Amino acid sequence: MSDQPADSSTPLRLRRWEQRTEVPLFVASLFFLLGYALRVLVPDHTQPWRDLALTLVLATWLLFAADYAVRIRLSGQGLRFLRTHWLDTVVLVLPLLRPLRLIQVYTAVQRRRAQPRLSLYARVISYAGMTALLLGFSAALAVYHEEHLAPGATIRTFGDAVWWACATLTTVGYGDVVPVTPRGRTVAAGLMVCGLALLGAVTGSFSSWLVQVFTREDEKRPPGRG
């Protein structure tokens, strides 16, 4: 029997592996984020905590790398896997972007249920909200790590970084605090793109929901009444 059903381009073994591992890997990504946060925010003199944080970061990243290798093997695509599953590749190189895989986590959980518990619009808004929260926190950590000791930096505290992340994600861009290092600006550019995409998804979903509500109200209105 073939591992690749006719109605799917993904081998059956790979789909089963993804279904079983998406949730545990998402939990591992939260531990990675915790370890990275401790590494960035804990003072240098608290050495045991910094060593523990580094161990946690390395251990979770090795787990991601092992999962990536298994996915390549089960896909049967070889190096073509890097192109067809580009998000997996990006997330492996930049683990702080793992919140972008929330939709895969939801899909893996949903396969175990008969029907979705939330409506389409609620799912879009929930996904966008959780992704924005995790990406904003990750970006704030990354920018603070790169900026707070840089000459001429305006992002000196983690609070500054959080304020900058909120302004960037919401596309407000006050400009009172901005990255000045090349890596910081790279993070900023990525967050701008993600912010626009998430804001567009939420706005479009909310607008569509309003249209549906008003359409139903119009259909219930008796004929001849304006």
Side-chain angles (χ1 to χ4, degrees), residues 74-215:
L74 293 180
S75 70
Q77 294 180 328
L79 294 179
R80 286 194 301 117
F81 183 89
L82 279 68
R83 177 174 55 83
T84 58
H85 294 72
W86 60 269
L87 181 57
D88 293 336
T89 307
V90 170
V91 165
L92 177 66
V93 178
L94 300 172
L96 286 176
L97 294 179
R98 287 197 73 88
L100 293 175
R101 289 187 58 88
L102 271 177
I103 190 66
Q104 283 90 341
V105 176
Y106 175 83
T107 301
V109 172
Q110 189 54 50
R111 284 173 182 164
R112 304 173 187 176
R113 306 184 185 278
Q115 60 182 3
R117 290 189 174 182
L118 299 175
S119 67
L120 173 62
Y121 305 115
R123 277 178 279 163
V124 171
I125 293 175
S126 299
Y127 167 73
M130 290 185 63
T131 302
L133 180 65
L134 291 173
L135 273 179
F137 182 65
S138 301
L141 285 172
V143 164
Y144 172 71
H145 179 64
E146 297 294 335
E147 295 286 321
H148 73 288
L149 296 179
T154 58
I155 300 176
R156 291 294 187 180
T157 67
F158 184 63
D160 293 337
V162 172
W163 171 253
W164 164 83
C166 291
T168 303
L169 266 175
T170 56
T171 68
V172 174
Y174 287 111
D176 52 344
V177 287
V178 294
V180 297
T181 64
R183 290 183 180 179
R185 289 176 175 175
T186 300
V187 174
L191 192 61
M192 290 174 195
V193 173
C194 292
L196 286 172
L198 293 172
L199 186 63
V202 172
T203 303
S205 180
F206 184 68
S207 300
S208 178
W209 175 74
L210 285 178
V211 170
Q212 266 199 0
V213 170
F214 292 146
T215 301

Side-chain angles (χ1 to χ4, degrees), residues 45 161 188 195:
H45 61 271

